């Protein structure tokens, strides 16, 4: 049965939007947003350093980043629902095995292998591919709506994880989240499919001057990407937004508790980020269809830099919530701007390859930022130097977004 035939034609687009929302909710919630809540327990259980605990999330970002290029290549050759199903099963198995870990290195190893499938197979790469093949006229807006799944994960999973932590312990929490992940399997198998015949007629828009269309000819090479200013703007700008999120999700709850907040209140900081990011994703989704996408990216980076300064200046709970609100706006730029800017620069015909290449090139940034935060905390005993460093790095990416160059030939 072809994708979409399981639902009436008029509902196929909305169903794909709901599916993308749920895929991002499940890939982000248990893996990223719940982990920061469990991090203090992992330190206590295994006697691990903050840097070692942060290494698990770093491993996900690094491994999934390195795997993105081959997955982008595979996505042009095999059905998307095969890839997404691998993400569901790998994530569920990994979370269940983490519940039985007896040493911190086992947690890191599982995050670097099975759980990494969430980010590359169930997360933004495959979701972007799915949405881009179903929507054109409203692609930016739809990507913003789907990105709300990540914000919903930030709102609901931290307090849920804190509740499970108190009721079942962190091991029980991981088992519950493994079971929830499996519930997504039937929907992914039947609905995560490209439309037959290309973008549906109701989503196509007439060609206009300057519009990027699906390019003809052979796919772009790595050399072409590396010589492209657009490639580096996307890699450095979106990579910084993604790495900031990894660093914040690994450390924000611990930072709140270090400033005297209880576990549930500290977890609510992540929920605050998620609530603001919901508005930010809709705003950036609309902007993606209407303005120069580089300026949307720059606005997200500027908000991220300001938020890091506010985190560094915070001395108690109220300023932390202000910083979390500002950071949520920055996070809102990540998914809609990445997807729409990549399509604009490289076209839909080579979209999967371009997404995979940019995601793979972001790997060093995603590797460095969470480890930097953990290492600076272990060295200084405070998170404030880490927030200051992240602010400087966001401003550097903002400056580099003004790179311009001739699009190289293939």
């Amino acid at each position: 049965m072809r994708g979409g035939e399981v639902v009436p034609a008029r509902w196929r687009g909305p169903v794909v939007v709901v599916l993308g929302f749920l895929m991002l909710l499940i890939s982000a919630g248990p893996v990223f947003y719940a982990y920061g809540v469990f991090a203090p327990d992992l330190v206590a259980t295994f006697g691990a350093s903050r840097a070692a605990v942060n290494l698990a999330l770093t491993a996900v970002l690094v491994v999934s980043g390195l795997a993105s290029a081959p997955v982008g290549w595979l996505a042009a050759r095999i059905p998307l629902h095969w890839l997404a199903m691998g993400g569901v099963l790998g994530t569920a198995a990994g979370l269940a095995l983490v519940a039985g870990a007896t040493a911190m290195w086992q947690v890191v190893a599982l995050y670097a292998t099975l759980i990494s499938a969430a980010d590359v197979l169930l997360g933004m790469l495959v979701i972007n591919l799915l949405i881009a093949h179903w929507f054109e006229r409203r692609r930016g807006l739809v990507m913003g709506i789907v990105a709300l799944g990540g914000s919903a994960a930030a709102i609901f999973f931290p307090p849920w994880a804190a509740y499970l932590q108190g009721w079942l312990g962190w091991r029980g929490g991981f088992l519950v989240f493994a079971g929830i992940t499996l519930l997504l399997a039937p929907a992914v198998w039947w609905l995560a499919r490209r439309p037959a015949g290309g973008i549906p007629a109701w989503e196509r828009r007439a060609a206009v001057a300057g519009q990027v269309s699906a390019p003809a000819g052979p796919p772009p090479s790595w050399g072409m990407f590396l010589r492209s200013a657009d490639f580096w703007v996307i890699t450095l700008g979106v990579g910084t937004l993604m790495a900031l999120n990894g660093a914040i999700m690994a450390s924000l709850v611990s930072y709140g508790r270090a400033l005297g907040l209880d576990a549930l209140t500290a977890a609510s900081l992540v929920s605050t980020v998620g609530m603001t990011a919901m508005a930010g994703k809709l705003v950036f989704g609309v902007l993606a269809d209407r303005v120069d996408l580089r300026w949307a990216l720059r606005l997200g980076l500027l908000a991220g830099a300001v938020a890091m300064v506010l985190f560094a200046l915070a001395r108690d709970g109220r300023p932390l919530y202000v910083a979390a609100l500002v950071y949520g706006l920055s996070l809102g730029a990540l998914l809609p701007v990445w997807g729409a800017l990549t399509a604009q620069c490289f076209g839909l015909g080579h979209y999967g390859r371009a997404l995979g290449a940019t995601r793979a090139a972001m790997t060093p940034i995603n590797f460095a930022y969470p480890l930097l935060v953990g290492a600076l905390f272990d060295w200084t005993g405070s998170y404030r130097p880490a927030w200051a460093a992240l602010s400087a790095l966001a401003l550097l990416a903002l400056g580099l977004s003004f790179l311009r160059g001739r699009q190289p030939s293939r």
Side-chain angles (χ1 to χ4, degrees):
M1 181 178 292
R2 291 185 178 273
E5 290 183 0
V6 293
V7 293
R10 67 181 180 276
W11 293 108
R12 291 173 190 172
V15 165
V16 168
V17 175
V18 173
L19 177 64
F21 177 95
L22 293 175
M23 288 170 65
L24 191 56
L25 175 75
I26 296 302
S27 67
V31 174
F32 288 99
Y33 294 109
Y35 185 83
V37 177
F38 296 141
D41 283 344
L42 296 175
V43 171
T45 300
F46 301 122
S49 67
R50 299 284 181 178
V53 171
N54 286 5
L55 184 59
L57 286 187
T58 301
V60 174
L61 295 172
V62 169
V63 174
S64 61
L66 293 174
S68 293
V71 169
W73 180 85
L74 279 174
R77 292 160 175 79
I78 66 174
L80 286 180
H81 65 283
W82 291 10
L83 298 175
M85 182 59 72
V88 170
L89 299 179
T91 304
L95 293 172
L97 290 171
V98 165
T102 59
M104 191 62 214
W105 71 264
Q106 296 172 2
V107 176
V108 173
L110 287 166
Y111 264 73
T113 52
L114 289 173
I115 295 176
S116 291
D119 194 51
V120 69
L121 297 178
L122 191 60
M124 291 187 292
L125 178 63
V126 171
I127 292 170
N128 270 331
L129 283 166
L130 183 64
I131 296 302
H133 281 86
W134 277 91
F135 294 91
E136 183 179 37
R137 278 191 310 110
R138 299 169 294 174
R139 184 177 293 152
L141 176 60
V142 170
M143 285 181 174
I145 293 172
V146 168
L148 296 178
S151 299
I155 293 170
F156 295 112
F157 274 88
W160 193 5
Y163 173 77
L164 291 174
Q165 182 185 46
W167 180 36
L168 300 174
W170 67 268
R171 296 183 189 275
F174 273 108
L175 285 175
V176 170
F177 291 144
I180 290 170
T181 301
L182 285 176
L183 295 178
L184 190 60
V188 162
W189 182 255
W190 289 112
L191 300 173
R193 304 175 185 227
R194 296 180 181 88
I199 295 173
W202 39 264
E203 261 300 313
R204 296 173 188 162
R205 60 183 166 197
V208 296
Q211 181 178 318
V212 177
S213 59
S221 65
W222 265 102
M224 175 266 176
F225 285 132
L226 295 176
R227 294 191 302 272
S228 168
D230 290 329
F231 174 82
W232 288 110
V233 167
I234 295 169
T235 295
L236 297 175
V238 176
T240 295
L241 291 175
M242 190 178 296
L244 286 178
N245 190 44
I248 287 291
M249 292 308 104
S251 302
L252 184 55
V253 173
S254 296
Y255 184 45
R257 294 182 70 174
L259 292 184
L261 303 182
D262 60 62
L264 189 58
T265 304
S268 71
L269 290 170
V270 181
S271 299
T272 301
V273 170
M275 286 187 285
T276 312
M278 292 184 79
K281 287 168 182 176
L282 289 175
V283 169
F284 280 106
V286 172
L287 288 176
D289 292 326
R290 289 171 170 79
V291 304
D292 184 338
L293 289 165
R294 288 180 179 239
W295 282 106
L297 176 61
R298 289 164 190 154
L299 181 59
L301 289 167
L302 179 60
V306 171
M308 296 305 108
V309 171
L310 294 175
F311 279 127
L313 295 176
R315 295 294 185 271
D316 54 37
R318 185 173 299 175
L320 277 179
Y321 281 103
V322 174
L325 287 169
V326 176
Y327 175 67
L329 294 175
S330 173
L331 182 59
L334 175 55
L335 184 57
V337 171
W338 180 28
L341 185 56
T342 303
Q344 176 181 292
C345 293
F346 299 104
L348 187 57
H350 302 315
Y351 189 58
R353 191 179 183 92
L355 276 178
T358 55
R359 181 69 177 84
M362 295 172 195
T363 300
I365 306 173
N366 290 323
F367 175 79
Y369 283 28
L371 286 184
L372 174 65
V373 172
L376 285 175
F377 177 86
D378 290 337
W379 182 33
T380 66
S382 171
Y383 282 106
R384 293 191 175 93
W387 305 141
L390 293 182
S391 179
L393 290 168
L395 290 174
L396 176 61
L398 173 60
L400 292 173
S401 73
F402 288 91
L403 284 172
R404 291 287 182 180
R406 180 178 61 86
Q407 186 76 3
S409 62
R410 295 184 181 85

